[in-house]
Amino acid sequence: MEENKILIGALIFFGLILGSNFVMYAIARGAARPGGGHWLDVIAKSLTANPAKKRDDMDELRRSVRELSEGGKESGKEPE
């Protein structure tokens, strides 16, 4: 009886692996076609960050660091 449960569990496991491989194959094949992969493109665009937003964040960080470093220099000169 236990051997049957193990066998059924193993078959289900292999079925899941084969099914997921088939789905990945279908996605990759659809993306490789010219003009294909419409829903895959949407997923890829949603997962990648916008480069312009990254640049804006870095510019803001540079401005903040510059303001802090200039503020420290000015405060060091004033206590005369």
Side-chain angles (χ1 to χ4, degrees):
M1 189 70 173
E2 287 293 319
E3 293 176 6
N4 289 340
K5 290 182 181 179
I6 293 172
L7 183 61
I8 291 171
L11 289 174
I12 290 172
F13 179 73
F14 287 130
L16 288 172
I17 289 177
L18 289 175
S20 65
N21 283 337
F22 178 73
V23 169
M24 289 297 128
Y25 172 75
I27 290 172
R29 183 176 171 135
R33 289 184 187 161
H38 53 86
W39 62 273
L40 189 61
D41 290 336
V42 172
I43 293 173
K45 286 179 183 177
S46 69
L47 292 177
T48 57
N50 188 358
K53 185 178 184 309
K54 283 184 179 179
R55 273 182 270 146
D56 292 342
D57 291 343
M58 289 302 294
D59 289 340
E60 182 180 348
L61 179 62
R62 286 187 193 105
R63 278 194 306 271
S64 299
V65 169
R66 190 178 310 123
E67 288 173 2
L68 289 173
S69 64
E70 289 174 358
K73 290 178 185 176
E74 291 174 4
S75 64
K77 294 179 181 177
E78 289 183 14
E80 293 179 6

